[in-house]
Amino acid sequence: MSLENAPDDIKLAVDLIMLLEEHAIPPDTVLKALEIVRRDFEKKVAAGAATE
């Protein structure tokens, strides 16, 4: 499957991975930041503020 035909979540994941790797961010920092982002989006979803 080519990336251009991939689902949006896969495209976003690939973009994020590339961004993080290009900036040589330490893995521990990445994981902590992703956890913060996940919690933030879960709160938005629970509040009905997230859009698709």
Side-chain angles (χ1 to χ4, degrees):
M1 175 192 306
S2 73
L3 189 55
E4 74 180 38
N5 296 325
D8 288 341
D9 56 333
I10 300 297
K11 291 178 187 177
L12 177 58
V14 170
D15 287 344
L16 291 171
I17 291 166
M18 290 174 57
L19 177 70
L20 296 168
E21 288 179 349
E22 288 172 2
H23 288 81
I25 300 170
D28 189 52
T29 301
V30 170
L31 293 173
K32 288 176 183 177
L34 289 173
E35 180 61 26
I36 293 167
V37 171
R38 185 184 63 79
R39 284 193 310 261
D40 180 68
F41 272 85
E42 284 176 344
K43 287 179 186 176
K44 289 177 181 174
V45 168
T51 60
E52 299 221 6

